[in-house]
Amino acid sequence: MNRPPHRAWWSGRVYEALDTMCRYLLLSLLWTVGTALLVTAPAATAALVATVRGWAQGDEGPVCSTFLSHVRRSARASSVAAVPLLPAAVLLAANLVIVPHMGEQRPYATAALVAVVVPFLVFATNVIPALADESTGVRETYRRTVERIVVQPAAAGLTTVVALIAACCVLVQPVSALLIAAPAARLVVAAHGRHTARPVISA
């Protein structure tokens, strides 16, 4: 006996919604586990974005194997790319502690610090979508990052805002990573979608 058309529509929509929700939850769980060790955090984050980008392009392969394959592919490049960013982040964090205690020089020091911190955050957060590309090599990754910031400043800014909001949510409530990691990556993928569809400007 055939199901009524409205029942088929309902079942299809419900199944699709549940499947999408489960895939996003599983991917967020994999990312949470992958970032438990700070050393693997860059590769796990790049794999998160790469996996969601594949979904947006119609790739519906197994979540675990897809994520792990992206981790293996981007492990070396993401680790090397994070090396120069880490000491810079530590230095800026130290200045954030020092500047409030600088007395009369505080307004000038704050302005100078903001002028450095904002570009750094924009660059650092937009490195992840570049690492999610199929390109290899840190130099190519940095070039793509700068190109995207210049060509699509709105997308770059949105990526930074999404990353900061997600980071704040995770710091306040770590379990929220299971709910926001993959959706945040989806916003980043959507923001950079128009650019990734265009040819990359040759050096």
Side-chain angles (χ1 to χ4, degrees):
M1 182 176 179
N2 294 330
R3 291 181 303 176
H6 68 277
R7 181 56 181 266
W9 176 87
W10 170 257
S11 299
R13 289 298 180 89
V14 170
Y15 175 81
E16 182 180 351
L18 290 175
D19 179 67
T20 299
M21 182 177 66
C22 290
R23 291 170 71 88
Y24 272 68
L25 286 173
L26 177 56
L27 181 59
S28 295
L29 175 61
L30 291 172
W31 176 81
T32 302
V33 173
T35 55
L37 295 175
L38 294 180
V39 176
T40 59
T45 307
L48 171 72
V49 175
T51 302
V52 174
R53 179 182 295 168
W55 292 351
Q57 296 172 350
D59 179 12
E60 296 185 356
V63 179
C64 293
S65 59
T66 302
F67 177 81
L68 292 176
S69 67
H70 286 305
V71 169
R72 288 191 295 268
R73 178 186 58 79
S74 62
R76 182 180 179 278
S78 59
S79 299
V80 176
V83 169
L85 297 179
L86 183 58
V90 172
L91 180 61
L92 291 175
N95 278 274
L96 287 174
V97 176
I98 296 173
V99 166
H101 304 283
M102 294 187 66
E104 295 181 358
Q105 301 299 321
R106 177 179 174 182
Y108 307 103
T110 301
L113 185 59
V114 170
V116 176
V117 168
V118 172
F120 174 80
L121 288 176
V122 172
F123 179 82
T125 52
N126 281 273
V127 163
I128 297 300
L131 285 170
D133 291 342
E134 295 296 331
S135 61
T136 57
V138 177
R139 182 176 180 181
E140 175 67 12
T141 297
Y142 282 173
R143 188 185 71 82
R144 285 175 179 263
T145 301
V146 173
E147 178 191 332
R148 286 176 172 173
I149 294 172
V150 172
V151 174
Q152 282 195 320
L158 178 60
T159 299
T160 301
V161 171
V162 169
L164 291 178
I165 292 176
C168 290
C169 290
V170 173
L171 287 175
V172 172
Q173 182 56 261
V175 73
S176 65
L178 298 177
L179 300 176
I180 65 174
R186 184 67 183 90
L187 288 175
V188 171
V189 169
H192 289 273
R194 288 182 299 166
H195 181 74
T196 53
R198 295 163 51 184
V200 178
I201 300 173
S202 59

